[in-house]
Amino acid sequence: MRILVVDDDQAILKLIEKVLRDESYAIDVASTGEEARMLALVNEYDGIILDLQLGDRHGFEILQELRRNGRRTPVLLYSGLSDTDSIVRGLDAGADDYVVKPVSNEELRARVRTLIRRGAGGSRVAEQVSVGNLILNRLTRRVTCDSAEVDLTSMELKLLEHLMLRTGETVSRSELHDKVWDMHFDPSSNVIDAHVARLRKKLQKAGATPVIATRRGIGFVLSAVTPSEEKT
């Protein structure tokens, strides 16, 4: 799941980014209102965390513009303004939630889960995805195989999520770096192959029926049944 975090305080921005990346979310960040507006109008996000008091534009303006343009992305307003008028104005402008700074990491995680759950009720976000006997709950970030939890690292979980959402399709290494690692990469790097190999072993050990096959020179494909391609 991809979240846009908007704040002109770099320390807060980095803190929120770290907290959410540790929860296996893919994060885009913006430190100005104009940058946030552009990203939110061009990209599809599962949630937006938006500070109100930005240097160049007020968060209310950005929120209202998104709603006018038909963007229904769930928005959490994150502000130092604690007065009732600001809270009411934010919710009336189309925000899904409002939290006053500072907020604990635990509450922030819970608020984001709730934010995404709201979006899942009537949007493209699926709360749960399953392939064979493997189930990934995208809100709790838990993977189970025949009801037994599979212990994965944050990066392995993000990798598995992307492959499960593209079940039966070949996913290239460059796409995985862009969508899972949020970065471009050296084509000679073997970081993807190493993570896929570890993930594959964990799934095999757990008795998962889906398998990850390597399509040489192209990428990877996750299938519910053993594919004919040679696996590495």
Side-chain angles (χ1 to χ4, degrees):
M1 291 186 177
R2 184 171 294 273
I3 297 174
L4 174 63
V5 181
V6 186
D7 200 306
D8 60 358
D9 186 318
Q10 290 299 314
I12 293 177
L13 195 63
K14 289 179 180 179
L15 175 61
I16 296 176
E17 181 180 9
K18 181 181 185 306
V19 169
L20 296 183
R21 283 191 187 277
D22 287 346
E23 292 294 300
S24 302
Y25 295 109
I27 306 298
D28 287 348
V29 297
S31 57
T32 68
E34 183 58 24
E35 183 182 11
R37 185 188 72 85
M38 292 291 292
L39 287 172
L41 289 175
V42 170
N43 301 313
E44 291 286 345
Y45 292 103
D46 298 302
I48 298 174
I49 300 176
L50 176 62
D51 184 25
L52 286 181
Q53 298 174 296
L54 300 169
D56 58 336
R57 299 187 64 179
H58 200 284
F60 286 140
E61 297 176 16
I62 300 170
L63 175 59
Q64 289 169 339
E65 183 171 352
L66 293 179
R67 297 306 188 228
R68 284 197 303 270
N69 281 274
R71 291 292 186 178
R72 308 314 306 167
T73 309
V75 174
L76 167 64
L77 294 180
Y78 182 77
S79 174
L81 300 174
S82 60
D83 60 287
T84 301
D85 287 344
S86 294
I87 296 173
V88 171
R89 183 183 174 192
L91 296 174
D92 285 344
D96 297 87
D97 197 2
Y98 190 113
V99 63
V100 178
K101 300 178 183 179
V103 61
S104 68
N105 293 345
E106 291 76 14
E107 181 179 349
L108 178 61
R109 294 187 190 101
R111 296 267 188 172
V112 170
R113 288 195 297 270
T114 300
L115 188 74
I116 293 176
R117 186 178 295 113
R118 288 173 179 168
S123 73
R124 65 188 180 89
V125 183
E127 178 176 344
Q128 182 173 286
V129 58
S130 62
V131 181
N133 62 350
L134 199 64
I135 298 175
L136 166 62
N137 187 305
R138 303 179 70 199
L139 299 182
T140 63
R141 314 306 291 166
R142 292 179 67 247
V143 177
T144 57
C145 178
D146 290 330
S147 300
E149 186 163 359
V150 182
D151 185 22
L152 300 178
T153 66
S154 174
M155 190 56 68
E156 289 166 349
L157 193 152
K158 290 171 66 177
L159 175 60
L160 177 63
E161 178 181 34
H162 194 80
L163 292 173
M164 290 180 74
L165 290 171
R166 298 280 302 279
T167 297
E169 302 177 23
T170 300
V171 181
S172 68
R173 289 175 176 80
S174 60
E175 178 181 336
L176 290 174
H177 265 278
D178 291 343
K179 301 298 184 181
V180 177
W181 270 259
D182 296 324
M183 58 185 256
H184 296 290
F185 73 108
D186 179 353
S188 64
S189 171
N190 68 345
V191 63
I192 289 289
D193 300 80
H195 276 83
V196 168
R198 286 195 293 268
L199 175 59
R200 183 184 287 136
K201 288 180 180 179
K202 288 187 177 183
L203 296 182
Q204 290 173 342
K205 184 177 180 180
T209 55
V211 295
I212 304 172
T214 301
R215 292 193 169 169
R216 299 185 185 283
I218 304 176
F220 307 93
V221 58
L222 183 140
S223 303
V225 295
T226 304
S228 59
E229 289 80 13
E230 179 182 357
K231 300 184 287 296
T232 61

